[in-house]
PDB file of all heavy atoms in Angstrom:
ATOM      1  N   VAL A 351      -9.873  37.109 -42.366  1.00  0.00           N
ATOM      2  CA  VAL A 351     -10.833  37.447 -43.430  1.00  0.00           C
ATOM      3  C   VAL A 351     -11.878  36.347 -43.550  1.00  0.00           C
ATOM      4  O   VAL A 351     -13.085  36.608 -43.634  1.00  0.00           O
ATOM      5  CB  VAL A 351     -10.109  37.659 -44.777  1.00  0.00           C
ATOM      6  CG1 VAL A 351     -11.111  37.762 -45.929  1.00  0.00           C
ATOM      7  CG2 VAL A 351      -9.240  38.914 -44.733  1.00  0.00           C
ATOM      8  N   LEU A 352     -11.411  35.085 -43.555  1.00  0.00           N
ATOM      9  CA  LEU A 352     -12.339  33.960 -43.663  1.00  0.00           C
ATOM     10  C   LEU A 352     -13.340  33.966 -42.516  1.00  0.00           C
ATOM     11  O   LEU A 352     -14.550  33.797 -42.728  1.00  0.00           O
ATOM     12  CB  LEU A 352     -11.548  32.653 -43.694  1.00  0.00           C
ATOM     13  CG  LEU A 352     -12.317  31.352 -43.951  1.00  0.00           C
ATOM     14  CD1 LEU A 352     -11.411  30.322 -44.617  1.00  0.00           C
ATOM     15  CD2 LEU A 352     -12.899  30.748 -42.674  1.00  0.00           C
ATOM     16  N   GLU A 353     -12.866  34.175 -41.298  1.00  0.00           N
ATOM     17  CA  GLU A 353     -13.756  34.170 -40.135  1.00  0.00           C
ATOM     18  C   GLU A 353     -14.772  35.310 -40.201  1.00  0.00           C
ATOM     19  O   GLU A 353     -15.938  35.129 -39.859  1.00  0.00           O
ATOM     20  CB  GLU A 353     -12.935  34.264 -38.853  1.00  0.00           C
ATOM     21  CG  GLU A 353     -12.244  32.965 -38.476  1.00  0.00           C
ATOM     22  CD  GLU A 353     -11.750  32.982 -37.047  1.00  0.00           C
ATOM     23  OE1 GLU A 353     -11.266  34.054 -36.614  1.00  0.00           O
ATOM     24  OE2 GLU A 353     -11.835  31.938 -36.373  1.00  0.00           O
ATOM     25  N   ALA A 354     -14.321  36.486 -40.632  1.00  0.00           N
ATOM     26  CA  ALA A 354     -15.229  37.631 -40.719  1.00  0.00           C
ATOM     27  C   ALA A 354     -16.318  37.385 -41.755  1.00  0.00           C
ATOM     28  O   ALA A 354     -17.505  37.683 -41.515  1.00  0.00           O
ATOM     29  CB  ALA A 354     -14.438  38.897 -41.067  1.00  0.00           C
ATOM     30  N   GLU A 355     -15.940  36.847 -42.918  1.00  0.00           N
ATOM     31  CA  GLU A 355     -16.934  36.554 -43.957  1.00  0.00           C
ATOM     32  C   GLU A 355     -17.900  35.464 -43.494  1.00  0.00           C
ATOM     33  O   GLU A 355     -19.103  35.533 -43.757  1.00  0.00           O
ATOM     34  CB  GLU A 355     -16.225  36.115 -45.244  1.00  0.00           C
ATOM     35  CG  GLU A 355     -15.441  37.207 -45.933  1.00  0.00           C
ATOM     36  CD  GLU A 355     -16.339  38.269 -46.545  1.00  0.00           C
ATOM     37  OE1 GLU A 355     -17.501  37.960 -46.881  1.00  0.00           O
ATOM     38  OE2 GLU A 355     -15.881  39.413 -46.696  1.00  0.00           O
ATOM     39  N   ALA A 356     -17.364  34.458 -42.802  1.00  0.00           N
ATOM     40  CA  ALA A 356     -18.222  33.382 -42.299  1.00  0.00           C
ATOM     41  C   ALA A 356     -19.218  33.905 -41.274  1.00  0.00           C
ATOM     42  O   ALA A 356     -20.398  33.524 -41.289  1.00  0.00           O
ATOM     43  CB  ALA A 356     -17.368  32.266 -41.698  1.00  0.00           C
ATOM     44  N   ALA A 357     -18.760  34.781 -40.389  1.00  0.00           N
ATOM     45  CA  ALA A 357     -19.651  35.348 -39.371  1.00  0.00           C
ATOM     46  C   ALA A 357     -20.763  36.160 -40.031  1.00  0.00           C
ATOM     47  O   ALA A 357     -21.931  36.074 -39.633  1.00  0.00           O
ATOM     48  CB  ALA A 357     -18.849  36.211 -38.405  1.00  0.00           C
ATOM     49  N   ALA A 358     -20.406  36.936 -41.058  1.00  0.00           N
ATOM     50  CA  ALA A 358     -21.409  37.750 -41.748  1.00  0.00           C
ATOM     51  C   ALA A 358     -22.447  36.883 -42.460  1.00  0.00           C
ATOM     52  O   ALA A 358     -23.603  37.272 -42.598  1.00  0.00           O
ATOM     53  CB  ALA A 358     -20.717  38.669 -42.755  1.00  0.00           C
ATOM     54  N   ALA A 359     -22.011  35.688 -42.903  1.00  0.00           N
ATOM     55  CA  ALA A 359     -22.924  34.796 -43.613  1.00  0.00           C
ATOM     56  C   ALA A 359     -23.593  33.786 -42.687  1.00  0.00           C
ATOM     57  O   ALA A 359     -24.377  32.939 -43.146  1.00  0.00           O
ATOM     58  CB  ALA A 359     -22.172  34.055 -44.716  1.00  0.00           C
ATOM     59  N   GLY A 360     -23.275  33.839 -41.392  1.00  0.00           N
ATOM     60  CA  GLY A 360     -23.855  32.904 -40.439  1.00  0.00           C
ATOM     61  C   GLY A 360     -23.321  31.497 -40.582  1.00  0.00           C
ATOM     62  O   GLY A 360     -24.038  30.517 -40.313  1.00  0.00           O
ATOM     63  N   ARG A 361     -22.059  31.358 -40.983  1.00  0.00           N
ATOM     64  CA  ARG A 361     -21.465  30.035 -41.169  1.00  0.00           C
ATOM     65  C   ARG A 361     -20.384  29.769 -40.135  1.00  0.00           C
ATOM     66  O   ARG A 361     -19.747  30.696 -39.628  1.00  0.00           O
ATOM     67  CB  ARG A 361     -20.867  29.904 -42.578  1.00  0.00           C
ATOM     68  CG  ARG A 361     -21.895  30.061 -43.689  1.00  0.00           C
ATOM     69  CD  ARG A 361     -21.281  29.784 -45.045  1.00  0.00           C
ATOM     70  NE  ARG A 361     -22.212  30.018 -46.129  1.00  0.00           N
ATOM     71  CZ  ARG A 361     -23.118  29.138 -46.547  1.00  0.00           C
ATOM     72  NH1 ARG A 361     -23.207  27.954 -45.951  1.00  0.00           N
ATOM     73  NH2 ARG A 361     -23.930  29.426 -47.549  1.00  0.00           N
ATOM     74  N   ARG A 362     -20.152  28.498 -39.838  1.00  0.00           N
ATOM     75  CA  ARG A 362     -19.111  28.115 -38.888  1.00  0.00           C
ATOM     76  C   ARG A 362     -17.772  27.970 -39.612  1.00  0.00           C
ATOM     77  O   ARG A 362     -17.721  27.659 -40.804  1.00  0.00           O
ATOM     78  CB  ARG A 362     -19.481  26.783 -38.220  1.00  0.00           C
ATOM     79  CG  ARG A 362     -20.772  26.848 -37.423  1.00  0.00           C
ATOM     80  CD  ARG A 362     -21.147  25.481 -36.885  1.00  0.00           C
ATOM     81  NE  ARG A 362     -20.126  24.951 -35.981  1.00  0.00           N
ATOM     82  CZ  ARG A 362     -20.184  23.739 -35.440  1.00  0.00           C
ATOM     83  NH1 ARG A 362     -21.193  22.934 -35.724  1.00  0.00           N
ATOM     84  NH2 ARG A 362     -19.234  23.331 -34.627  1.00  0.00           N
ATOM     85  N   THR A 363     -16.689  28.179 -38.869  1.00  0.00           N
ATOM     86  CA  THR A 363     -15.354  28.003 -39.446  1.00  0.00           C
ATOM     87  C   THR A 363     -14.712  26.747 -38.859  1.00  0.00           C
ATOM     88  O   THR A 363     -15.058  26.304 -37.768  1.00  0.00           O
ATOM     89  CB  THR A 363     -14.454  29.215 -39.156  1.00  0.00           C
ATOM     90  OG1 THR A 363     -14.357  29.408 -37.737  1.00  0.00           O
ATOM     91  CG2 THR A 363     -15.026  30.469 -39.797  1.00  0.00           C
ATOM     92  N   ASP A 364     -13.784  26.186 -39.610  1.00  0.00           N
ATOM     93  CA  ASP A 364     -13.156  24.939 -39.194  1.00  0.00           C
ATOM     94  C   ASP A 364     -11.722  24.919 -39.716  1.00  0.00           C
ATOM     95  O   ASP A 364     -11.492  24.746 -40.914  1.00  0.00           O
ATOM     96  CB  ASP A 364     -13.950  23.752 -39.756  1.00  0.00           C
ATOM     97  CG  ASP A 364     -13.399  22.404 -39.307  1.00  0.00           C
ATOM     98  OD1 ASP A 364     -12.352  22.387 -38.629  1.00  0.00           O
ATOM     99  OD2 ASP A 364     -14.009  21.376 -39.649  1.00  0.00           O
ATOM    100  N   ARG A 365     -10.762  25.110 -38.799  1.00  0.00           N
ATOM    101  CA  ARG A 365      -9.353  25.148 -39.214  1.00  0.00           C
ATOM    102  C   ARG A 365      -8.878  23.809 -39.791  1.00  0.00           C
ATOM    103  O   ARG A 365      -7.869  23.775 -40.495  1.00  0.00           O
ATOM    104  CB  ARG A 365      -8.467  25.561 -38.037  1.00  0.00           C
ATOM    105  CG  ARG A 365      -8.507  27.057 -37.743  1.00  0.00           C
ATOM    106  CD  ARG A 365      -7.590  27.413 -36.579  1.00  0.00           C
ATOM    107  NE  ARG A 365      -7.569  28.847 -36.316  1.00  0.00           N
ATOM    108  CZ  ARG A 365      -6.639  29.680 -36.776  1.00  0.00           C
ATOM    109  NH1 ARG A 365      -5.640  29.214 -37.495  1.00  0.00           N
ATOM    110  NH2 ARG A 365      -6.688  30.966 -36.497  1.00  0.00           N
ATOM    111  N   SER A 366      -9.556  22.726 -39.492  1.00  0.00           N
ATOM    112  CA  SER A 366      -9.136  21.431 -40.034  1.00  0.00           C
ATOM    113  C   SER A 366      -9.279  21.391 -41.553  1.00  0.00           C
ATOM    114  O   SER A 366      -8.677  20.546 -42.217  1.00  0.00           O
ATOM    115  CB  SER A 366      -9.941  20.293 -39.402  1.00  0.00           C
ATOM    116  OG  SER A 366     -11.274  20.286 -39.872  1.00  0.00           O
ATOM    117  N   ARG A 367     -10.070  22.303 -42.113  1.00  0.00           N
ATOM    118  CA  ARG A 367     -10.241  22.339 -43.570  1.00  0.00           C
ATOM    119  C   ARG A 367      -9.342  23.387 -44.236  1.00  0.00           C
ATOM    120  O   ARG A 367      -9.535  23.725 -45.403  1.00  0.00           O
ATOM    121  CB  ARG A 367     -11.706  22.604 -43.914  1.00  0.00           C
ATOM    122  CG  ARG A 367     -12.626  21.465 -43.472  1.00  0.00           C
ATOM    123  CD  ARG A 367     -13.991  21.584 -44.094  1.00  0.00           C
ATOM    124  NE  ARG A 367     -14.698  22.771 -43.633  1.00  0.00           N
ATOM    125  CZ  ARG A 367     -15.736  23.313 -44.252  1.00  0.00           C
ATOM    126  NH1 ARG A 367     -16.183  22.784 -45.379  1.00  0.00           N
ATOM    127  NH2 ARG A 367     -16.328  24.378 -43.761  1.00  0.00           N
ATOM    128  N   TRP A 368      -8.356  23.855 -43.474  1.00  0.00           N
ATOM    129  CA  TRP A 368      -7.374  24.811 -44.012  1.00  0.00           C
ATOM    130  C   TRP A 368      -6.097  24.042 -44.318  1.00  0.00           C
ATOM    131  O   TRP A 368      -5.519  23.394 -43.453  1.00  0.00           O
ATOM    132  CB  TRP A 368      -7.115  25.906 -42.982  1.00  0.00           C
ATOM    133  CG  TRP A 368      -6.257  27.034 -43.485  1.00  0.00           C
ATOM    134  CD1 TRP A 368      -5.932  27.326 -44.778  1.00  0.00           C
ATOM    135  CD2 TRP A 368      -5.621  28.028 -42.679  1.00  0.00           C
ATOM    136  NE1 TRP A 368      -5.141  28.445 -44.841  1.00  0.00           N
ATOM    137  CE2 TRP A 368      -4.938  28.894 -43.559  1.00  0.00           C
ATOM    138  CE3 TRP A 368      -5.567  28.269 -41.296  1.00  0.00           C
ATOM    139  CZ2 TRP A 368      -4.202  29.986 -43.096  1.00  0.00           C
ATOM    140  CZ3 TRP A 368      -4.844  29.350 -40.848  1.00  0.00           C
ATOM    141  CH2 TRP A 368      -4.171  30.201 -41.736  1.00  0.00           C
ATOM    142  N   ARG A 369      -5.656  24.119 -45.587  1.00  0.00           N
ATOM    143  CA  ARG A 369      -4.463  23.408 -46.036  1.00  0.00           C
ATOM    144  C   ARG A 369      -3.398  24.398 -46.483  1.00  0.00           C
ATOM    145  O   ARG A 369      -3.692  25.342 -47.213  1.00  0.00           O
ATOM    146  CB  ARG A 369      -4.829  22.464 -47.182  1.00  0.00           C
ATOM    147  CG  ARG A 369      -5.821  21.386 -46.759  1.00  0.00           C
ATOM    148  CD  ARG A 369      -6.490  20.735 -47.950  1.00  0.00           C
ATOM    149  NE  ARG A 369      -7.323  19.598 -47.561  1.00  0.00           N
ATOM    150  CZ  ARG A 369      -8.608  19.693 -47.251  1.00  0.00           C
ATOM    151  NH1 ARG A 369      -9.240  20.870 -47.275  1.00  0.00           N
ATOM    152  NH2 ARG A 369      -9.294  18.611 -46.909  1.00  0.00           N
ATOM    153  N   LEU A 370      -2.162  24.152 -46.051  1.00  0.00           N
ATOM    154  CA  LEU A 370      -1.030  25.000 -46.413  1.00  0.00           C
ATOM    155  C   LEU A 370      -0.052  24.197 -47.252  1.00  0.00           C
ATOM    156  O   LEU A 370       0.248  23.040 -46.921  1.00  0.00           O
ATOM    157  CB  LEU A 370      -0.323  25.534 -45.162  1.00  0.00           C
ATOM    158  CG  LEU A 370      -0.871  26.841 -44.562  1.00  0.00           C
ATOM    159  CD1 LEU A 370      -2.335  26.728 -44.211  1.00  0.00           C
ATOM    160  CD2 LEU A 370      -0.057  27.244 -43.336  1.00  0.00           C
ATOM    161  N   MET A 371       0.446  24.795 -48.331  1.00  0.00           N
ATOM    162  CA  MET A 371       1.300  24.080 -49.271  1.00  0.00           C
ATOM    163  C   MET A 371       2.704  24.679 -49.324  1.00  0.00           C
ATOM    164  O   MET A 371       2.877  25.887 -49.212  1.00  0.00           O
ATOM    165  CB  MET A 371       0.664  24.124 -50.666  1.00  0.00           C
ATOM    166  CG  MET A 371       1.396  23.308 -51.728  1.00  0.00           C
ATOM    167  SD  MET A 371       2.675  24.251 -52.592  1.00  0.00           S
ATOM    168  CE  MET A 371       1.698  25.289 -53.655  1.00  0.00           C
ATOM    169  N   GLY A 372       3.701  23.814 -49.513  1.00  0.00           N
ATOM    170  CA  GLY A 372       5.072  24.260 -49.706  1.00  0.00           C
ATOM    171  C   GLY A 372       5.924  23.145 -50.273  1.00  0.00           C
ATOM    172  O   GLY A 372       5.621  21.964 -50.093  1.00  0.00           O
ATOM    173  N   PRO A 373       7.037  23.486 -50.973  1.00  0.00           N
ATOM    174  CA  PRO A 373       7.897  22.453 -51.557  1.00  0.00           C
ATOM    175  C   PRO A 373       8.989  21.985 -50.596  1.00  0.00           C
ATOM    176  O   PRO A 373       9.485  22.763 -49.775  1.00  0.00           O
ATOM    177  CB  PRO A 373       8.534  23.171 -52.754  1.00  0.00           C
ATOM    178  CG  PRO A 373       8.596  24.606 -52.331  1.00  0.00           C
ATOM    179  CD  PRO A 373       7.407  24.845 -51.413  1.00  0.00           C
ATOM    180  N   MET A 374       9.350  20.711 -50.691  1.00  0.00           N
ATOM    181  CA  MET A 374      10.433  20.134 -49.895  1.00  0.00           C
ATOM    182  C   MET A 374      11.104  19.018 -50.670  1.00  0.00           C
ATOM    183  O   MET A 374      10.470  18.342 -51.485  1.00  0.00           O
ATOM    184  CB  MET A 374       9.904  19.543 -48.580  1.00  0.00           C
ATOM    185  CG  MET A 374       9.342  20.528 -47.592  1.00  0.00           C
ATOM    186  SD  MET A 374       8.887  19.694 -46.046  1.00  0.00           S
ATOM    187  CE  MET A 374       8.315  21.095 -45.063  1.00  0.00           C
ATOM    188  N   HIS A 375      12.382  18.820 -50.409  1.00  0.00           N
ATOM    189  CA  HIS A 375      13.067  17.574 -50.758  1.00  0.00           C
ATOM    190  C   HIS A 375      14.010  17.258 -49.604  1.00  0.00           C
ATOM    191  O   HIS A 375      14.828  18.095 -49.223  1.00  0.00           O
ATOM    192  CB  HIS A 375      13.868  17.666 -52.056  1.00  0.00           C
ATOM    193  CG  HIS A 375      14.618  16.392 -52.333  1.00  0.00           C
ATOM    194  ND1 HIS A 375      14.008  15.280 -52.863  1.00  0.00           N
ATOM    195  CD2 HIS A 375      15.914  16.038 -52.084  1.00  0.00           C
ATOM    196  CE1 HIS A 375      14.883  14.301 -52.950  1.00  0.00           C
ATOM    197  NE2 HIS A 375      16.046  14.723 -52.485  1.00  0.00           N
ATOM    198  N   ILE A 376      13.859  16.078 -49.029  1.00  0.00           N
ATOM    199  CA  ILE A 376      14.675  15.743 -47.871  1.00  0.00           C
ATOM    200  C   ILE A 376      15.448  14.447 -48.107  1.00  0.00           C
ATOM    201  O   ILE A 376      15.054  13.599 -48.913  1.00  0.00           O
ATOM    202  CB  ILE A 376      13.842  15.640 -46.575  1.00  0.00           C
ATOM    203  CG1 ILE A 376      12.748  14.576 -46.691  1.00  0.00           C
ATOM    204  CG2 ILE A 376      13.229  16.990 -46.230  1.00  0.00           C
ATOM    205  CD1 ILE A 376      11.958  14.364 -45.390  1.00  0.00           C
ATOM    206  N   ALA A 377      16.557  14.320 -47.396  1.00  0.00           N
ATOM    207  CA  ALA A 377      17.403  13.134 -47.430  1.00  0.00           C
ATOM    208  C   ALA A 377      17.991  12.942 -46.037  1.00  0.00           C
ATOM    209  O   ALA A 377      17.700  13.716 -45.115  1.00  0.00           O
ATOM    210  CB  ALA A 377      18.500  13.286 -48.486  1.00  0.00           C
TER     211      ALA A 377
END
Side-chain angles (χ1 to χ4, degrees):
V351 170
L352 186 152
E353 284 195 321
E355 291 290 334
R361 299 186 184 277
R362 298 175 61 184
T363 58
D364 183 356
R365 283 181 178 263
S366 72
R367 295 193 295 161
W368 187 15
R369 297 163 173 90
L370 273 57
M371 185 271 285
M374 294 185 178
H375 177 79
I376 59 176

